[in-house]
Amino acid sequence: MIVMKFGGSSVANAERIKHVASIIKAYKEKRPAVVLSAMGDTTDHLLEAADKAVEGVVDVAGVAKLHEDTAAELGINIDTIRALLDELKQLLTGISMLKEISKRSRDYLVSFGERMSVRMMAAYLEKEGIPAKFYDAWDIGIVSDSNYMAAELLDEVWDNIPKYLSDYKNGSDNKIPIVTGFIAKDSKGNITTLGRGGSDLTATMIGAAMRAEEVQTWKDVDGILTTDPRVVKEARPVPEVTYEEAQELAMFGAQVLHPRSMVPVRKTGTPVRVKNSYNIQSPGSIIVEKHSGKVPPVCAITTVKHITLIDIVSSRMLGAAGFLAHIFNNFLKWGISVDIIATSEVSVSLTVNSKDDLSGLVKDLEQASEVTVRTGKSIVTIVCDAAHSSAILASGFAALADEGINVQMISQGASKVNISMIVDDDEAEKTVQILHKAYFN
């Protein structure tokens, strides 16, 4: 058994749905369970409909037209879709009467995209002679807490999923499960969403719970690349990375899988393969616990633009422990997350999201520190075997020095698989190009 996950762009229209169906058909002997996102930008359109409803306007025409037109092009019956559209209209009518939308109602609202998507795919596969059955996530035991918009799966999911899918895995049930990603239900039966990377998490959770041969996530590139091909056209696929490396890549800007989706498969050692839906013969990139051969010195280079660098220097005789406690208590107070950090006994440099409001934080920090805030910065991260950090830094920094790039901060992660540096936004792409040439050419 394998698990196959397709994102919204993969099922954005009838043509793409037909293409995904052909991929599923090509892998049917592997007994795939399929996880789907909503069609294209449906989730955004549902949220726009909610905003209109708050203002008193109930409008499902856009969402309805997309799905009805797609169904007509696919030649499938959409009675189940129409029932969901009626349910959606009732929800929006309720929102328009209340003139407000709660987090719980919002999760209920955005669930319609995935629920319609799986029904359309299952119907089309059946039409093409491929036995299939749609499932809303809770139909196979995917339950969560009640933290709406960012719910966490409950431990009982590990036991629930095999109860519903074991017959399919062992061959007594022949219908390919087509499962919604991103959504669940809490213990009270309310629909929840799993937050960022929710569809990835659903796929890896199913794969891990079913002890699948592998989880496949299908994209539009040949797996994980050495860097963004829009920045470096010579970027090439990375055949193999570890779970830890994949998490670091995702944390620092690469469009791989969300870091939290690695948690279930790490528990069971289930491989995850990143495949290209436009080139199904390509082996893609596989994510595993440990490298099967020689560990490459550098795996990939990523970048995150538009971050803020904060330099904090102690202005009191607090000592290292008191100084750091003062800093991080204030970050906790203002709910601001730190990306990377470099410290000495009386000074700290760290980065935060440029969208964070820092006014209150800076005011509190200045009670015991001198604070300098610099915007327009980028994090460039080298995902690598940090056991060879001296050689990696030597070649990389020599290349940067030759091109006049000034690195303003450097930090090595505790995971020992990443080295991050700060440069100006307008130097970020050039920095990636220089480093890529130094490490891969």
Side-chain angles (χ1 to χ4, degrees):
M1 179 181 179
I2 63 172
V3 178
M4 308 174 79
K5 181 258 177 180
F6 297 91
S9 62
S10 295
V11 291
N13 53 43
E15 180 183 353
R16 298 298 299 140
I17 289 173
K18 290 177 181 178
H19 181 63
V20 167
S22 72
I23 296 173
I24 295 169
K25 183 177 181 180
Y27 280 85
K28 67 176 184 175
E29 300 306 318
K30 292 277 191 179
R31 306 202 67 76
V34 180
V35 176
L36 295 184
S37 296
M39 287 183 66
D41 297 325
T42 298
T43 300
D44 290 337
H45 294 155
L46 288 167
L47 292 171
E48 289 168 8
D51 291 338
K52 288 183 179 179
V54 170
E55 296 171 358
V57 178
V58 175
D59 180 11
V60 297
V63 173
K65 179 173 172 41
L66 171 64
H67 290 82
E68 289 170 351
D69 289 355
T70 302
E73 197 172 336
L74 294 172
I76 59 175
N77 181 292
I78 59 163
D79 288 344
T80 56
I81 302 295
R82 289 199 178 100
L84 285 177
L85 288 169
D86 289 342
E87 186 182 341
L88 171 61
K89 190 171 183 179
Q90 290 174 5
L91 172 60
L92 290 171
T93 300
I95 292 170
S96 71
M97 295 173 68
L98 292 172
K99 304 290 191 223
E100 64 179 15
I101 180 169
S102 65
K103 288 185 177 181
R104 186 176 72 175
S105 296
R106 181 191 179 280
D107 278 3
Y108 179 18
L109 174 83
V110 298
S111 74
F112 284 92
E114 271 75 8
R115 292 159 72 193
M116 289 189 285
S117 177
V118 297
R119 285 157 173 78
M120 295 183 77
M121 179 60 77
Y124 181 70
L125 288 170
E126 286 277 344
K127 174 178 174 286
E128 294 297 298
I130 304 167
K133 181 179 180 180
F134 70 81
Y135 292 91
D136 294 325
W138 47 86
D139 295 333
I140 61 166
I142 295 182
V143 292
S144 73
D145 59 22
S146 301
N147 185 24
Y148 301 108
M149 298 174 59
E152 295 290 343
L153 296 178
L154 301 181
D155 288 342
E156 63 199 70
V157 169
W158 286 93
D159 296 322
N160 290 351
I161 293 173
K163 291 177 184 176
Y164 293 95
L165 295 184
S166 288
D167 285 348
Y168 173 70
K169 183 180 180 181
N170 65 32
S172 57
D173 179 358
N174 233 15
K175 289 183 176 287
I176 296 174
I178 313 296
V179 186
T180 57
F182 180 59
I183 59 177
K185 273 188 177 179
D186 65 12
S187 58
K188 298 177 182 178
N190 296 313
I191 294 174
T192 61
T193 60
L194 303 178
R196 291 187 61 197
S199 293
D200 289 339
L201 178 59
T202 300
T204 56
M205 187 66 246
I206 294 171
M210 295 304 299
R211 303 306 194 266
E213 178 184 332
E214 67 181 27
V215 177
Q216 298 176 350
T217 179
W218 289 78
K219 299 182 178 293
D220 57 1
V221 292
D222 282 336
I224 298 168
L225 302 182
T226 49
T227 196
D228 188 338
R230 294 168 298 183
V231 177
V232 179
K233 67 179 186 295
E234 296 85 7
R236 57 180 184 258
V238 181
E240 181 183 75
V241 300
T242 66
Y243 297 127
E244 202 165 42
E245 288 167 342
Q247 284 181 305
E248 294 292 340
L249 283 165
M251 286 293 292
F252 291 103
Q255 299 297 312
V256 191
L257 283 82
H258 194 277
R260 66 203 287 254
S261 69
M262 290 288 100
V263 175
V265 289
R266 289 193 75 170
K267 287 184 178 180
T268 57
T270 305
V272 179
R273 192 179 297 274
V274 183
K275 296 272 287 178
N276 187 351
S277 61
Y278 294 96
N279 181 15
I280 68 172
Q281 300 306 320
S282 169
S285 302
I286 193 163
I287 306 171
V288 291
E289 182 62 40
K290 293 181 179 179
H291 284 283
S292 57
K294 184 179 179 181
V295 180
V298 176
C299 168
I301 303 166
T302 68
T303 184
V304 180
K305 288 188 173 182
H306 314 307
I307 59 100
T308 297
L309 175 62
I310 306 176
D311 295 321
I312 308 165
V313 181
S314 175
S315 59
R316 293 186 186 175
M317 300 300 290
L318 291 175
F323 176 53
L324 291 174
H326 169 71
I327 290 172
F328 290 111
N329 283 338
N330 279 297
F331 274 86
L332 176 64
K333 172 184 174 182
W334 292 99
I336 295 174
S337 297
V338 174
D339 296 318
I340 62 173
I341 183 170
T343 68
S344 72
E345 186 170 2
V346 293
S347 67
V348 174
S349 294
L350 47 78
T351 65
V352 298
N353 192 309
S354 62
K355 295 179 181 179
D356 290 329
D357 180 359
L358 302 178
S359 54
L361 171 67
V362 170
K363 185 177 180 180
D364 283 352
L365 289 174
E366 287 179 335
Q367 294 178 20
S369 315
E370 296 175 5
V371 182
T372 304
V373 176
R374 291 183 279 168
T375 58
K377 306 298 177 184
S378 292
I379 303 172
V380 176
T381 298
I382 306 165
V383 177
C384 59
D385 178 9
H388 300 98
S389 59
S390 295
I392 291 166
L393 288 173
S395 58
F397 273 67
L400 292 174
D402 288 344
E403 297 292 335
I405 300 292
N406 180 42
V407 173
Q408 299 163 38
M409 171 183 158
I410 185 168
S411 175
Q412 181 173 317
S415 63
K416 307 303 181 190
V417 297
N418 88 67
I419 298 170
S420 295
M421 60 189 73
I422 305 300
V423 296
D424 289 333
D425 273 341
D426 58 9
E427 294 179 327
E429 291 190 0
K430 185 178 179 182
T431 300
V432 172
Q433 292 162 357
I434 293 167
L435 291 174
H436 193 276
K437 184 176 181 180
Y439 297 136
F440 296 106
N441 290 358

